[in-house]
Amino acid sequence: MAHLLILWPMSGSISLSGPRLTGFLCVLLVVSAHASRDAVSGNNETWGSPARATQGDPHHQNSSTTHRKAFPVLSFNYDHVKTPFEISLWILLALLMKLGFHIIPRVSSIVLESCLLIVVGLLIGGIIKAIKQTAPVLDSKLFFLYLLPPIILDAGYFLPIRPFTENMGTILVFAVVGTLWNAAFIGGMMYGVCQIEGAQLGHVDLLSCLLFGAIISAVDPVAVLAVFEEIHINELLYILVFGESLLNDAVTVVLYHLFEEFSHAGIVTVGDAFLGVVCFFVVSLGGVMVGTIYGILGAFTSRFTSHTRVIEPLFVFLYSYMAYLSAEVFHLSGIMSLIACGVTMRPYVEANISHKSYTTIKYFLKMWSSVSETLIFIFLGVSTVAGPHAWNWTFVIFTVILCLVSRVLGVMGLTYIINKFRIVKLTKKDQFIVAYGGLRGAIAFSLGFLLTNNEMKNMFLTAIITVIFFTVFVQGMTIRPLVELLAVKKKEESKTSINEEIHTQFLDHLLTGIEDICGHYGHHHWKDKYDAYVKRWLIVGERSTEPQLISFYNKMEMKQAMMLVESGSAAKLPTLMSAATLQNIQQKGVPSRRAIPSISKSREEEIRKILRANLQKTRQKLYSYRRHDLVMDPFEDNVSEIRFRRQRAEMEKRMSHYLTVPANRQETPSVRKVCFEPENKVYTYDDSESPRGRAAQPSPRLPDAISLLSKSPQRPNQTSALRAKGSTELRAKAPDEQEEQDQVKLSRCFSDPGPNEEEEEDGSFLS
Amino acid sequence: MGALQSLPGQPEHIDLAEKTGFSLEQIGVLHKRFRQLSHNEETLRRDHFNEIPDLACNPIRAQIIEAFFDKRNYRQNGEGTVEEISFEDFLVVMSHFRPPSVHMTEEQRESVRREKLRFLFNMHDTDNDGTITLEEYRHVVEELLSRSGALGKETAKGIADAAMLEVASISVGHMEPDEFYEGITFEHFLKLLNGFEIESRMNIRFLNMDTTTLCK
């Protein structure tokens, strides 16, 4: 019956036909399920034999001695599928909610999705309570084993490594020292509050307060992700807060277990405290070690998956999940293990797996983490309504205030110390955002849920829920306008241009070299050594020697090529021009034709979007010619290869044109009556002066470059001998490129090229 | 301070400290390293650098070493190269890698940027003509990819070409048909790496402690 009532509000609130239809279907199904279930119990007879139903005792299973049962044409057995059915229904509902929010235009821009989901959970919980059913509660086991890992894996796998490692010191200080400070401050002050007369809190002892402090002090990665995803803050702040929320898990685990043990034991000795410190190191480093081991295993496995590409994603998921579970077995920090596994595995796996597997991994992770997050917030709402509460004004209000105060003090104090060691200092604005972004979430709730049942537990739970609600609703919703107000630097549209990439690499090597000269083994040095040795073991074959720059460049070209195919004519530069003279071009005032091919805006956006992703991406199939992969690939390979080579050649031609031909050419306009045309347009030009004219004619594609190239030796002054060498080199290269292209082009000239091919050949890297 | 007072050449160090901005401890450490590299001679030569084993596997080793012998990096507006360098020159080149100080005005930050980018520019512009030509840029990329063998050479061309095109399109945008792009001037270079945040990236943490005995 509960299901019935849940569906009604949903179908009423969403004004689309799709969900409503689904809702109605669900309603029908469930209504019939319930109706039948109530009527028919333990009896599998059908409606085909109503006489039987009226006859005997419904609970009395009649055997074939007196009556003969008719063959059940249609039978009903809900219990059989009850559990998976309910689970699926819940997940489906949650996702339909999510869908609904994004369709209603105004809501999603004002209110955070997580807030809406909690509200929905509250509603559902309220409804369930109203009909006096037992609501599904956010069971800790369900949370920690099923709902949390996908989110953490998703976050860890796509963690931006460079900012993370660059700010590792800061993040660790915030995570460890900050959380300890929070726990101590809140626990201690709450104990002081509990001593206040008249608050009826005298029964709360110090250890319980400290335990409570430990639970409530940790910044929650789920909530942080949910909020920070939507405000697009700059990378540094994001990685600081998010990194802290991930790494403080070790502290939380240790403190939680420590205080729980102590509160049972009753007294604390110095030895116990010392053991606690040791335990912290064991938990955190052990977790990282477990994760790294599984990560290396995963990377090593991926080296051999070239023959079974289809199951590649599963290895990633399973190794990571095993890392998490293995860490949890020993009470090590599962979150840190999962992060370590993802981070370790990623560069090697991505070098080894196919592009499709990479896409699969990406999408599955995003999907699972999205579902998990939605479910977590809804369950949080439901559990709020359902759970037993013990409201105590003093306790709750002081908890909220102390959380805020301790966070602010902690961040400010730590930043003061940290800034002495940082090169890029944290400004006051940064500190404010870091402090304000310290949200609590479902992890605190689940930990509270795990407490042993005593009279304090309900009070603690109430306080925890209040803090969570406060942080998510108040802080989460106001952080966006505050970010705007304070003009905090937003996430930059990173134009990772090839020049920046070159210089990043160059700088890396330069700094390593300088460190070596100084005799100081800094982290550049170690990173270099690590790269050199480890990669050899974990990456297939020749790819292990391939530097980042080549992968980056190839990836860009591949994306460019793909974009050209997919984008169609809309994003291209307008190039449909007949053979026109230079004057014509100039008079038409379309400078882009003759200028350096500049990127059109939409193309630029696409390129940037793609380039913004992490650079250690999957190797495209440029150098692997494996044919027995999925069927489409061989074709793709061929086409890509040719495309790349042609693009590259074309670009070289353009380069030589713009960059090597000196300024004082004396060319007749007729020779220059060429432009970058789509290949199936034949146009004439006066090539009498060009020695390559004959060769160039059948391939109308690159006439300009070739003819101009041929002109260059006649130039009187070459300001640099190198330039002449460069151009002759190119010229010598041209015939090779050309023959190959001739063949392809001829075949295409004579067959109908079709719009796609025309477009895909027309572009070069930048156009 | 007490330990350093027994070292010879102390007053020079104070001058150097003022000139380059290093602290006295850092200068002491670097001096020790200088002596270690030069086998206790007064000047360093190129072959001394070649003896550093860690540097051997660095793809841009040659350019780094050249940078030390390039007079343009001595902040005296000199040009050309030298055959051997003194400790002062060594220190001046190293000072390009000092982290910027905390409190800097915008102009100071800008001048630090320019200085560091000038260093990089000088590294690329090997023939000292004030522009990075296509060939020079190609050489840079080839060196970066030199560990990849033959594969690298071919791709290096492509990458360098693409990069030059990009520079041209950023800096010049529209060119007349009979113009051509000579090379990257320093101003274009600045414009190109505008978003690169070099003042926070091109830094080495110079230690006040002496760890040179641990390394080769």
Side-chain angles (χ1 to χ4, degrees):
Chain A
M1 295 306 282
H3 306 296
L4 170 62
L5 288 172
I6 291 166
L7 290 163
W8 272 118
M10 183 209 73
S11 50
S13 62
I14 300 175
S15 57
L16 273 196
S17 57
R20 185 177 271 172
L21 192 57
T22 322
F24 268 121
L25 287 175
C26 288
V27 167
L28 285 175
L29 196 57
V30 175
V31 163
S32 56
H34 278 279
S36 316
R37 186 164 59 154
D38 291 332
V40 179
S41 52
N43 201 334
N44 275 343
E45 294 198 300
T46 74
W47 306 301
S49 50
R52 303 267 180 302
T54 54
Q55 251 191 15
D57 192 327
H59 298 288
H60 178 56
Q61 183 98 10
N62 259 331
S63 60
S64 50
T65 49
T66 45
H67 306 277
R68 204 182 147 268
K69 282 195 268 192
F71 183 74
V73 172
L74 190 68
S75 54
F76 188 87
N77 187 357
Y78 179 67
D79 288 328
H80 182 56
V81 296
K82 181 168 180 212
T83 316
F85 191 88
E86 288 181 0
I87 294 175
S88 307
L89 200 60
W90 269 104
I91 299 181
L92 191 62
L93 282 181
L95 295 177
L96 287 171
M97 291 287 136
K98 206 174 153 95
L99 194 71
F101 299 147
H102 285 282
I103 290 177
I104 305 173
R106 295 291 309 281
V107 180
S108 52
S109 56
I110 304 175
V111 190
L112 276 185
E113 192 182 289
S114 37
C115 305
L116 285 172
L117 288 171
I118 294 185
V119 167
V120 166
L122 286 173
L123 283 173
I124 295 180
I127 293 168
I128 295 182
K129 194 155 190 175
I131 56 173
K132 305 263 189 309
Q133 293 271 332
T134 49
V137 195
L138 190 59
D139 177 17
S140 292
K141 183 168 152 217
L142 170 72
F143 177 76
F144 279 115
L145 291 184
Y146 299 112
L147 291 180
L148 190 61
I151 301 180
I152 303 295
L153 180 59
D154 177 39
Y157 198 76
F158 294 109
L159 200 64
I161 290 298
R162 200 176 264 269
F164 188 69
T165 46
E166 281 174 10
N167 293 300
M168 179 67 90
T170 315
I171 294 176
L172 276 176
V173 169
F174 275 131
V176 177
V177 181
T179 312
L180 282 173
W181 155 258
N182 276 348
F185 185 78
I186 295 176
M189 296 297 280
M190 283 314 292
Y191 183 59
V193 165
C194 290
Q195 306 302 67
I196 297 176
E197 305 288 330
Q200 297 132 22
L201 291 169
H203 55 275
V204 183
D205 58 327
L206 180 63
L207 276 174
S208 304
C209 279
L210 284 175
L211 180 58
F212 177 71
I215 296 176
I216 200 80
S217 63
V219 178
D220 185 79
V222 179
V224 165
L225 265 178
V227 170
F228 273 52
E229 284 280 297
E230 303 200 20
I231 61 178
H232 300 297
I233 207 157
N234 71 49
E235 203 174 47
L236 172 67
L237 288 178
Y238 171 78
I239 201 70
L240 282 180
V241 182
F242 183 62
E244 179 196 341
S245 69
L246 288 176
L247 295 185
N248 66 17
D249 181 59
V251 181
T252 313
V253 164
V254 170
L255 283 179
Y256 180 80
H257 284 126
L258 207 65
F259 289 132
E260 211 185 12
E261 287 294 321
F262 290 167
S263 58
H264 287 180
I267 47 166
V268 185
T269 65
V270 177
D272 288 335
F274 177 68
L275 280 179
V277 172
V278 172
C279 182
F280 165 72
F281 283 108
V282 167
V283 162
S284 53
L285 293 174
V288 170
M289 203 177 66
V290 169
T292 315
I293 293 175
Y294 273 100
I296 293 181
L297 278 177
F300 196 64
T301 312
S302 74
R303 200 179 156 178
F304 304 106
T305 56
S306 44
H307 299 281
T308 43
R309 292 276 186 204
V310 189
I311 57 174
E312 269 172 344
L314 274 178
F315 281 117
V316 172
F317 300 142
L318 288 174
Y319 273 113
S320 312
Y321 196 46
M322 291 290 286
Y324 181 78
L325 293 176
S326 309
E328 288 288 323
V329 165
F330 299 103
H331 274 225
L332 304 174
S333 166
I335 290 184
M336 289 181 83
S337 160
L338 202 49
I339 300 285
C341 183
V343 164
T344 315
M345 205 192 310
R346 185 177 179 198
Y348 311 108
V349 160
E350 291 198 346
N352 289 334
I353 64 178
S354 70
H355 178 57
K356 291 192 169 60
S357 297
Y358 170 73
T359 313
T360 310
I361 292 179
K362 188 169 84 163
Y363 275 98
F364 262 87
L365 282 179
K366 298 280 176 216
M367 182 187 77
W368 273 326
S369 68
S370 186
V371 170
S372 279
E373 195 180 297
T374 314
L375 280 175
I376 287 177
F377 283 116
I378 290 189
F379 270 128
L380 206 55
V382 171
S383 311
T384 308
V385 176
H389 292 295
W391 181 270
N392 185 311
W393 279 100
T394 327
F395 195 78
V396 169
I397 302 238
F398 269 101
T399 309
V400 174
I401 296 176
L402 283 176
C403 276
L404 284 174
V405 168
S406 82
R407 176 81 182 157
V408 170
L409 286 179
V411 168
M412 276 173 45
L414 286 175
T415 315
Y416 178 74
I417 299 174
I418 288 171
N419 268 343
K420 294 191 197 300
F421 299 98
R422 279 182 67 91
I423 297 180
V424 178
K425 313 288 179 195
L426 293 176
T427 65
K428 286 259 178 295
K429 260 193 243 169
D430 294 338
Q431 289 176 39
F432 175 74
I433 297 291
V434 169
Y436 207 66
L439 307 173
R440 287 13 179 223
I443 290 187
F445 180 78
S446 308
L447 284 176
F449 218 77
L450 280 176
L451 289 172
T452 51
N453 268 322
N454 51 24
E455 73 257 20
M456 293 183 284
K457 176 179 169 178
N458 296 336
M459 191 170 64
F460 285 172
L461 271 181
T462 314
I464 293 174
I465 287 185
T466 316
V467 173
I468 294 178
F469 272 42
F470 182 80
T471 56
V472 171
F473 278 91
V474 174
Q475 281 180 245
M477 286 186 29
T478 55
I479 201 169
R480 204 190 333 217
L482 277 173
V483 162
E484 302 279 334
L485 196 66
L486 292 177
V488 177
K489 228 165 63 162
K490 288 287 187 76
K491 184 155 63 172
E492 278 169 11
E493 302 294 311
S494 68
K495 349 179 252 295
T496 316
S497 66
I498 188 134
N499 278 294
E500 288 188 356
E501 181 54 27
I502 290 177
H503 281 98
T504 309
Q505 296 290 303
F506 191 81
L507 208 58
D508 265 349
H509 290 301
L510 176 63
L511 291 175
T512 311
I514 298 287
E515 276 184 0
D516 291 333
I517 292 178
C518 278
H520 154 50
Y521 280 172
H523 74 274
H524 287 101
H525 175 93
W526 293 118
K527 182 169 174 303
D528 213 44
K529 282 262 184 322
Y530 172 76
D531 277 346
Y533 289 124
V534 177
K535 275 193 174 153
R536 214 181 312 150
W537 291 107
L538 297 176
I539 300 186
V540 175
E542 80 276 3
R543 295 179 197 164
S544 63
T545 57
E546 199 172 87
Q548 196 168 328
L549 193 55
I550 296 187
S551 327
F552 174 77
Y553 179 64
N554 287 330
K555 195 175 82 71
M556 273 205 311
E557 283 218 321
M558 173 68 153
K559 294 290 182 193
Q560 184 66 31
M562 286 198 319
M563 262 163 27
L564 285 167
V565 175
E566 291 164 7
S567 63
S569 58
K572 272 177 23 163
L573 286 175
T575 53
L576 301 177
M577 258 179 56
S578 57
T581 61
L582 198 57
Q583 285 82 352
N584 280 353
I585 298 169
Q586 281 186 310
Q587 279 158 14
K588 270 193 192 164
V590 186
S592 58
R593 200 61 49 9
R594 251 345 225 174
I596 295 147
S598 56
I599 316 174
S600 67
K601 262 297 167 206
S602 55
R603 185 73 60 81
E604 209 177 309
E605 277 311 305
E606 282 172 312
I607 295 179
R608 281 191 191 159
K609 224 190 307 175
I610 290 168
L611 293 176
R612 200 181 306 142
N614 191 293
L615 295 170
Q616 296 246 340
K617 279 280 169 61
T618 302
R619 287 286 297 102
Q620 299 314 313
K621 284 195 170 246
L622 191 58
Y623 298 107
S624 70
Y625 296 92
R626 306 186 206 282
R627 298 289 180 230
H628 49 267
D629 289 333
L630 313 174
V631 179
M632 283 304 292
D633 289 338
F635 173 71
E636 228 177 277
D637 272 348
N638 261 329
V639 172
S640 325
E641 261 303 304
I642 292 168
R643 229 184 284 145
F644 291 145
R645 274 188 250 152
R646 188 172 311 122
Q647 277 182 1
R648 221 169 272 170
E650 208 210 76
M651 206 169 50
E652 282 193 7
K653 305 299 187 281
R654 291 188 198 193
M655 296 305 302
S656 68
H657 173 215
Y658 283 119
L659 302 180
T660 64
V661 181
N664 50 354
R665 283 197 293 262
Q666 300 295 324
E667 283 175 356
T668 62
S670 58
V671 173
R672 285 153 113 241
K673 200 189 342 176
V674 294
C675 17
F676 303 105
E677 285 289 337
E679 59 108 3
N680 60 349
K681 285 223 190 283
V682 181
Y683 47 97
T684 59
Y685 55 95
D686 182 0
D687 58 350
S688 53
E689 294 162 8
S690 155
R692 302 205 54 80
R694 233 182 337 104
Q697 210 157 20
S699 60
R701 185 121 200 277
L702 307 165
D704 57 327
I706 297 168
S707 69
L708 293 172
L709 268 179
S710 65
K711 286 285 166 206
S712 53
Q714 298 171 18
R715 289 298 137 259
N717 59 338
Q718 297 278 355
T719 51
S720 124
L722 293 173
R723 270 192 216 125
K725 193 162 63 120
S727 58
T728 47
E729 249 179 56
L730 277 169
R731 196 161 42 97
K733 210 165 167 230
D736 307 330
E737 301 284 326
Q738 227 196 330
E739 276 155 21
E740 165 205 35
Q741 285 153 25
D742 276 351
Q743 288 170 348
V744 182
K745 261 177 304 222
L746 281 174
S747 65
R748 287 186 186 216
C749 273
F750 296 134
S751 62
D752 182 14
N756 275 345
E757 290 170 7
E758 167 188 41
E759 284 148 17
E760 87 197 13
E761 282 160 29
D762 193 58
S764 75
F765 163 68
L766 280 181
S767 69
Chain B
M1 274 296 275
L4 288 175
Q5 278 177 353
S6 56
L7 283 178
Q10 185 56 10
E12 287 168 20
H13 284 196
I14 300 179
D15 284 336
L16 285 174
E18 277 174 40
K19 188 169 166 195
T20 57
F22 284 117
S23 73
L24 285 169
E25 293 92 3
Q26 288 168 339
I27 293 184
V29 171
L30 286 171
H31 192 83
K32 214 168 153 207
R33 179 65 176 169
F34 183 84
R35 297 218 148 250
Q36 190 183 26
L37 288 177
S38 70
H39 307 298
N40 276 326
E41 293 173 30
E42 286 297 321
T43 56
L44 272 182
R45 287 187 301 278
R46 284 187 180 80
D47 40 357
H48 288 134
F49 279 103
N50 286 332
E51 287 167 9
I52 305 176
D54 291 323
L55 207 52
C57 50
N58 198 314
I60 57 170
R61 181 170 57 97
Q63 280 137 319
I64 298 178
I65 296 177
E66 251 336 283
F68 277 91
F69 293 89
D70 187 346
K71 275 165 80 171
R72 289 177 293 176
N73 291 332
Y74 295 162
R75 299 179 204 243
Q76 287 161 356
N77 298 323
E79 281 199 358
T81 59
V82 293
E83 284 308 311
E84 42 184 39
I85 58 175
S86 64
F87 178 59
E88 183 175 335
D89 302 326
F90 181 74
L91 214 53
V92 170
V93 172
M94 283 296 190
S95 70
H96 283 97
F97 292 92
R98 266 195 336 113
S101 58
V102 182
H103 306 291
M104 281 198 318
T105 62
E106 262 314 302
E107 305 144 10
Q108 284 172 324
R109 194 177 292 276
E110 187 55 36
S111 81
V112 165
R113 259 181 68 80
R114 281 185 84 96
E115 194 183 286
K116 293 190 195 275
L117 283 174
R118 185 86 222 176
F119 188 85
L120 280 186
F121 188 83
N122 290 341
M123 282 184 83
H124 296 329
D125 181 22
T126 45
D127 64 358
N128 215 347
D129 63 351
T131 57
I132 306 178
T133 60
L134 179 64
E135 268 307 313
E136 285 168 348
Y137 211 33
R138 270 195 193 146
H139 183 68
V140 171
V141 180
E142 265 170 30
E143 290 293 307
L144 271 181
L145 299 178
S146 58
R147 287 198 273 204
S148 305
L151 171 67
K153 224 166 160 55
E154 182 188 301
T155 325
K157 267 206 178 43
I159 295 176
D161 293 346
M164 282 297 272
L165 256 182
E166 193 182 51
V167 178
S169 70
I170 290 177
S171 317
V172 182
H174 163 52
M175 269 187 356
E176 291 304 312
D178 50 0
E179 270 184 74
F180 79 107
Y181 193 60
E182 296 248 1
I184 313 178
T185 62
F186 185 55
E187 292 308 316
H188 291 169
F189 194 68
L190 282 178
K191 204 166 157 193
L192 183 68
L193 292 179
N194 207 11
F196 200 55
E197 289 207 6
I198 196 155
E199 66 267 21
S200 46
R201 288 171 79 159
M202 187 167 144
N203 298 314
I204 295 279
R205 207 178 283 274
F206 287 103
L207 298 179
N208 292 332
M209 288 185 322
D210 185 6
T211 56
T212 55
T213 45
L214 301 171
C215 325
K216 297 222 184 8

